[in-house]
Amino acid sequence: APPLGVGGSPSLVPPPDLAPPLWGSPSLSGPAHLEGQRGGPVQQLDPDLLHRRPRSPPPPWPLPPPCLAPAGTPCPLPHGTTTLAFRLAQGVVAAADTRSSCGTYVACPASRKVLPVHARLLATTSGTSADCATWLRALRCQLALRRQEDGREPGVAEAAALLAGGLRAQRGRGLCVAVALCGWDRTGPGLWYVYSDGTRLPLDVVAVGSGSPYAYGLLDGAYRPDMPPAAAYALARRAVAHATRRDAYSGGCVDVFHVRQSGWVWVSHSDVGDLYQYKPAWTSTNGRSIIPLHGPGSTSIKQFKPV
């Protein structure tokens, strides 16, 4: 039976292994402790010591590698976007919508999907926002190191090779990155498409995302490499606006950028609702039917008809 303390209550006697850290007095085997066992006054416990817990063991170092994602596992939440870019003689024009979706939920209606890498290089992002932002941050660091080592700015093709090599090494881990690198280097304007499996392709026109088929419908009929910048801006705005009209995962506003030899510039930020307020009408030019692209704040591209 446990020994009785004051008033007949059981006396608190700590076990031998816990006695030193929990007992309030260093004289465990002294008269006060023995007196408590014989029915005298009980030694009081320190309340701060009672709340202490044994520390968790430190994690192993180095940390174990992350678990690989099962091959062929689809993304549990559907997501989409509309981004596009095309080359001109005066540089590269890039455009994207601003809606970030997570399933049927619009996570952010004003996100930025055209991100700067350096003064003459932009990247349009499609896929998982966190993956794209992380890998573009790593690309900036690699390009800065390459600039310090070589004493010159790396080209667009070099940037695409660095990004594709890093993504290829992480293939099979569930990354979702689709990037169009738009820049100007020693060879002139450059446009490269990089995917999360390590694919990299030099292109003249590219549209990525769930709204890309609708954007291609306008780009294929109106794009010309010798377009003036004003007409190119109108085409980029209208192509993204048309895609947001048909694609539920795209929307918000349209951001248009232009990468020139002197650096990139942010051309416009337009609401898709204002861009789509026009009446499509069929006209005929040289015996062929086209849809004129008119709208408030945009420039006509009638002079660039399919031949």
Side-chain angles (χ1 to χ4, degrees):
L4 299 179
V6 179
S9 60
S11 174
L12 296 178
V13 181
D17 55 339
L18 294 181
L22 292 181
W23 206 245
S25 172
S27 58
L28 285 189
S29 57
H33 178 64
L34 297 176
E35 195 174 2
Q37 290 184 351
R38 297 169 185 168
V42 181
Q43 185 75 354
Q44 298 295 326
L45 295 177
D46 190 347
D48 295 334
L49 295 176
L50 287 176
H51 294 286
R52 293 183 181 178
R53 296 290 185 270
R55 293 182 178 180
S56 302
W61 190 263
L63 297 177
C67 298
L68 296 178
T73 302
C75 184
L77 292 175
H79 53 277
T81 184
T82 301
T83 64
L84 59 88
F86 49 86
R87 289 204 313 165
L88 301 173
Q90 299 87 356
V92 183
V93 175
D97 71 310
T98 62
R99 173 177 293 179
S100 291
S101 57
C102 183
T104 58
Y105 172 69
V106 178
C108 180
S111 62
R112 296 292 172 82
K113 300 181 183 180
V114 183
L115 303 179
V117 180
H118 58 71
R120 293 191 296 178
L121 182 62
L122 293 175
T124 66
T125 59
S126 300
T128 305
S129 300
D131 292 344
C132 293
T134 301
W135 281 96
L136 287 181
R137 190 183 307 121
L139 178 62
R140 294 189 194 103
C141 296
Q142 292 180 357
L143 292 178
L145 292 176
R146 184 66 63 89
R147 188 185 310 115
Q148 292 293 332
E149 294 174 356
D150 300 343
R152 60 174 179 83
E153 192 71 54
V156 184
E158 297 177 63
L162 288 173
L163 181 59
L167 291 172
R168 188 182 301 110
Q170 304 297 324
R171 185 169 47 188
R173 292 180 177 265
L175 297 177
C176 186
V177 178
V179 173
L181 295 176
C182 317
W184 190 297
D185 54 17
R186 301 178 305 277
T187 62
L191 176 59
W192 285 77
Y193 171 70
V194 181
Y195 190 58
S196 51
D197 61 355
T199 302
R200 59 187 178 100
L201 299 170
L203 300 171
D204 291 331
V205 181
V206 62
V208 189
S210 57
S212 59
Y214 310 107
Y216 271 126
L218 291 180
L219 293 175
D220 291 342
Y223 165 73
R224 291 291 181 273
D226 56 346
M227 294 177 67
Y233 304 156
L235 174 61
R237 279 192 295 262
R238 194 61 61 195
V240 176
H242 180 70
T244 60
R245 183 75 174 183
R246 296 297 179 183
D247 178 38
Y249 298 104
S250 303
C253 298
V254 181
D255 289 327
V256 179
F257 291 79
H258 188 186
V259 184
R260 305 169 181 170
Q261 186 176 5
S262 58
W264 62 266
V265 292
W266 188 6
V267 176
S268 64
H269 178 79
S270 309
D271 190 278
V272 296
D274 298 335
L275 292 175
Y276 209 81
Q277 289 179 0
Y278 73 101
K279 297 179 179 180
W282 290 92
T283 60
S284 179
T285 302
N286 298 329
R288 300 194 60 178
S289 297
I290 57 100
I291 300 180
L293 303 179
H294 298 290
S298 64
T299 305
S300 173
I301 58 171
K302 273 187 172 183
Q303 62 270 31
F304 297 96
K305 305 294 190 307
V307 294

